[in-house]
Amino acid sequence: MVAPGANIFKYGYLDGSSIGLQDGLNIINASYRIIEPLSQHPREQAIVDAAWAGTAIVTKSADNRSSEVGRPHEGDFDELTLGLIGAPSAIFVGALDHNGTPGNKTRLARYSNYPGSNPEVRNQFLTVGVEGDKTDLYGTSHAAPVVAGYAAILDSKFTSATPTQITNQLLDAARTDTLVNYNPATYGRGEASLSRALAPVSTRLPPYPHASERGWIAAPGL
């Protein structure tokens, strides 16, 4: 719904088929976890490989354990998260109580995971508002697709940008003045801002006047 003009490809959670990248920019939304080794999940291994190779943007929900990203829960690790830590075109997405403004700041939702002490996670972590009182939808699973939509919109302006460039654009344009007691251990880079990412004064990518049709893959959970 954020980027209705994007081409969307859905994969069922239990569907074992592999991810197939499309022509143009690919954005993979992963609003789920994998607790078995990635060697047992070829599709998820392909998602991680794409994030490390910079051939697709991967937006990964931070999870809803009120704990640090990458830490085990009841002895189990989210292997998909671990595989994406440090990947140049991967973004972890946490949930805020609502979309913030400088006059009405917001805070991390009580259930959302946070980047914590790992500097790599802090550097690739964004937050967005999940206003469940309006939509009856809660959780970081509904935050990550918003950032996926932002990436698709950026691609319509910066049509020659690589997945890694668009990833960096979103991270670099994040706001911190809309957050209560901003701290990178809690909010990572800050609150995702589409307007700042699109603004010429804040971008280092060359704008092009004619948007081309690009691919957008939505992984399970969208």
Side-chain angles (χ1 to χ4, degrees):
M1 292 184 292
V2 174
N7 297 317
I8 301 176
F9 301 83
K10 296 181 180 181
Y11 291 83
Y13 181 74
L14 298 178
D15 182 357
S17 62
S18 182
I19 289 291
L21 299 181
Q22 308 295 309
D23 291 337
L25 181 75
N26 288 267
I27 304 143
I28 303 173
N29 182 74
S31 288
Y32 65 109
R33 71 181 71 89
I34 292 291
I35 60 174
E36 298 87 6
L38 291 181
S39 59
Q40 299 179 24
H41 296 272
R43 177 174 59 188
E44 281 65 40
Q45 184 63 66
I47 290 172
V48 169
D49 290 345
W52 277 98
T55 54
I57 297 170
V58 178
T59 55
K60 173 67 172 73
S61 57
D63 214 341
N64 309 309
R65 309 290 185 178
S66 303
S67 64
E68 186 172 331
V69 170
R71 295 291 185 182
H73 177 73
E74 297 180 351
D76 292 324
F77 285 92
D78 178 0
E79 297 293 336
L80 184 53
T81 287
L82 294 182
L84 292 170
I85 292 175
S89 61
I91 301 175
F92 295 109
V93 187
L96 301 169
D97 284 337
H98 58 84
N99 296 308
T101 66
N104 183 24
K105 295 187 178 185
T106 186
R107 65 179 69 244
L108 198 72
R110 59 177 177 78
Y111 55 78
S112 179
N113 281 13
Y114 50 88
S117 60
N118 189 325
E120 285 188 305
V121 176
R122 291 184 185 188
N123 190 54
Q124 62 184 125
F125 191 98
L126 287 176
T127 59
V128 292
V130 177
E131 303 191 13
D133 57 330
K134 298 178 181 177
T135 64
D136 202 30
L137 299 173
Y138 295 88
T140 61
S141 291
H142 300 291
V146 173
V147 176
Y150 287 0
I153 293 170
L154 283 181
D155 178 59
S156 72
K157 180 176 182 179
F158 307 113
T159 59
S160 68
T162 67
T164 300
Q165 286 176 314
I166 289 181
T167 296
N168 289 333
Q169 183 72 357
L170 285 166
L171 292 167
D172 292 343
R175 301 188 66 155
T176 60
D177 60 336
T178 60
L179 303 170
V180 175
N181 299 324
Y182 168 72
N183 184 320
T186 302
Y187 300 106
R189 301 292 288 272
E191 182 174 6
S193 173
L194 178 61
S195 60
R196 285 193 177 190
L198 289 169
V201 294
S202 63
T203 184
R204 293 175 292 178
L205 301 178
Y208 291 84
H210 302 293
S212 61
E213 185 174 302
R214 312 290 281 229
W216 178 15
I217 297 176
L222 181 60

